[in-house]
Amino acid sequence: MSKTKKLTICAIMVALATVLMLISKIIPAPWMQGGSITIASMVPIIVASLIIDCKWGILSGFVFSLIQMISGFNPPPTQTFINFVLVILLDYVVAFGVLGTAGFFYNIMGKKLWAIPVSGAIVTILRYICHILSGILIWGVYAEEGQTVLAYSVTYNGSYMIPEIIITAVVLAVLSKFILRQIKNNNL
């Protein structure tokens, strides 16, 4: 596959992910420090990784993270530079970059049809872990009195990430035959 075709596919997938994310933001979210349940906005980034490769998937995730920051960056509750950098890394760059590793997990699972939604679930769980770490390191000041920072981070981030994991895996399962055809067509 030519570099131009790879770039075009990734650009389309990032654009689709952005549209799905923006449509979802029309519904008011109850999450004060960020996070939302979207209409499968992570699926296009995962698909880019599956049909091209992880390098292009991670690049697509990185570009999508930049768009996420532009459309709704939540500054950290403290003014330290390190917290600012950690928010950018954990809540955006790494969190969305890991979506691009779906192709890696798909390949190690033997390129089976069932591996498409499973690899999607794995990478969205990795994104959830990034947000948990961010919650522990930075956002824990919002934990209620008597609540541990870990419990706060797991429940706050889980309130939107667990539905996102389920939505992503279900949509990938529904689309898995189409995605598998695209993977085979691009490997010819």
Side-chain angles (χ1 to χ4, degrees):
M1 180 185 317
S2 73
K3 193 178 240 183
T4 303
K5 185 174 180 181
K6 290 177 183 178
L7 186 59
T8 303
I9 290 170
C10 289
I12 291 167
M13 292 296 120
V14 170
L16 181 57
T18 302
V19 167
L20 292 170
M21 181 261 306
L22 291 173
I23 290 171
S24 302
K25 289 198 174 189
I26 292 171
I27 301 165
W31 298 276
M32 308 237 339
Q33 289 84 42
S36 62
I37 299 172
T38 68
I39 306 169
S41 68
M42 295 183 284
V43 169
I45 305 303
I46 293 167
V47 169
S49 177
L50 292 168
I51 65 174
I52 302 173
D53 62 29
C54 287
K55 178 179 109 178
W56 286 90
I58 292 168
L59 177 64
S60 297
F62 174 72
V63 171
F64 188 51
S65 77
L66 297 178
I67 293 168
Q68 287 279 344
M69 280 190 283
I70 291 167
S71 69
F73 181 75
N74 289 304
T78 60
Q79 301 302 316
T80 67
F81 179 73
I82 191 71
N83 280 0
F84 185 75
V85 170
L86 284 173
V87 165
I88 290 172
L89 290 175
L90 291 173
D91 283 336
Y92 294 98
V93 176
V94 177
F96 290 98
V98 296
L99 299 176
T101 64
F104 168 77
F105 293 105
Y106 171 76
N107 288 334
I108 65 170
M109 287 186 266
K111 300 181 180 182
K112 307 284 186 205
L113 188 64
W114 59 265
I116 292 171
V118 172
S119 64
I122 290 169
V123 297
T124 53
I125 290 168
L126 291 174
R127 178 181 163 204
Y128 179 32
I129 292 168
C130 288
H131 293 305
I132 290 171
L133 289 172
S134 177
I136 292 168
L137 296 172
I138 298 145
W139 301 101
V141 297
Y142 292 107
E144 293 180 19
E145 191 173 324
Q147 184 181 33
T148 67
V149 173
L150 175 61
Y152 165 75
S153 186
V154 168
T155 55
Y156 180 89
N157 291 299
S159 68
Y160 66 91
M161 279 307 302
I162 292 171
E164 281 280 311
I165 292 164
I166 294 166
I167 291 167
T168 300
V170 168
V171 170
L172 286 169
V174 169
L175 297 175
S176 60
K177 286 184 181 179
F178 172 77
I179 295 168
L180 189 60
R181 266 195 313 271
Q182 298 308 308
I183 292 168
K184 288 179 180 177
N185 288 342
N186 289 319
N187 287 331
L188 296 177

